[in-house]
Amino acid sequence: MDLEAYRREAKRLVRAHRAGDEAVLARAAGLLGARERFLLSDAQHLLARESGYRTWAELRRALPDEWTVDTGLRYGPDEPVRIRVRRRGNRYDLDDRGDAVRLGGKARGWREAGERAVEPMNLARNGTVFVPAVEGSFPDRDIDALARRLGESARAVYDALVELE
């Protein structure tokens, strides 16, 4: 699981605790003791402990700093649109590793066509479709959703470049 998945699970635990879910109440009571209030920080602590870490911060440090999100899209019949996510502190850098331009080709006018297609994301001079993000600044605080949106932009760049040929 990546950090965003842990965060979503922590939020789900808080909602389940508030709804009186017996399994969640028992998990929380087993680690934290019986309590009425169960905050997001309690859920994060519970997940960290269940994952073998003493604290949420320790769990965060142990998670990978780079992973790939398969967007479910395809450049062609055999080429999945994958987005690389790199975490650096509270920043995330997402990119397509240059796949859209590599696969779509650099025909005359590729850069202009790519820039028109990539809005509101970015296209680097080397052909990489990318977007930087700060934790908490992206929609629903879901990095996977942002990766899927970037994948859609990368696919749009690929389509624009294929049309140039």
Side-chain angles (χ1 to χ4, degrees), residues 3 12 15 18 20 32 36 41 52 55 75 78 80 89 95 105 112 114 126 136 152 157:
L3 183 60
R12 188 196 69 75
R15 286 190 303 273
R18 287 182 184 150
L32 306 169
E36 247 178 72
S41 59
T55 66
Y75 289 117
D78 300 326
D95 67 68
E112 294 80 17
N126 67 2
E152 291 167 3
V157 167

Side-chain angles (χ1 to χ4, degrees), residues 8-129:
R8 285 190 302 272
E9 178 62 12
K11 289 176 184 179
R12 188 196 69 75
L13 287 173
V14 170
R15 286 190 303 273
H17 191 278
R18 287 182 184 150
D21 182 306
E22 292 296 325
V24 174
L25 291 169
R27 284 171 66 189
L31 179 68
L32 306 169
R35 52 172 63 183
E36 247 178 72
R37 282 183 44 191
F38 185 73
L39 305 174
L40 181 59
S41 59
D42 297 323
Q44 291 171 333
H45 183 68
L46 175 67
L47 289 172
R49 293 301 301 261
E50 288 178 345
S51 299
Y53 300 96
R54 291 181 315 130
T55 66
W56 177 253
E58 195 175 291
L59 169 66
R60 281 186 63 167
R61 283 191 299 274
L63 292 174
D65 290 332
E66 183 175 313
W67 64 93
T68 301
V69 175
D70 188 340
T71 64
L73 300 170
R74 299 253 179 264
Y75 289 117
D78 300 326
E79 289 290 338
V81 177
R82 292 189 180 115
I83 300 300
R84 174 177 55 182
V85 179
R86 291 178 287 178
R87 179 172 55 100
R88 294 184 168 88
N90 69 337
R91 277 196 42 184
Y92 292 88
D93 293 323
L94 294 82
D95 67 68
D96 76 332
R97 298 178 191 250
D99 290 344
V101 172
R102 181 178 54 79
L103 296 168
K106 287 187 176 180
R108 179 169 234 204
W110 76 269
R111 182 127 173 90
E112 294 80 17
E115 285 178 345
R116 282 191 305 274
V118 80
E119 286 295 325
M121 305 299 178
N122 305 295
L123 181 63
R125 291 177 191 226
N126 67 2
T128 301
V129 178

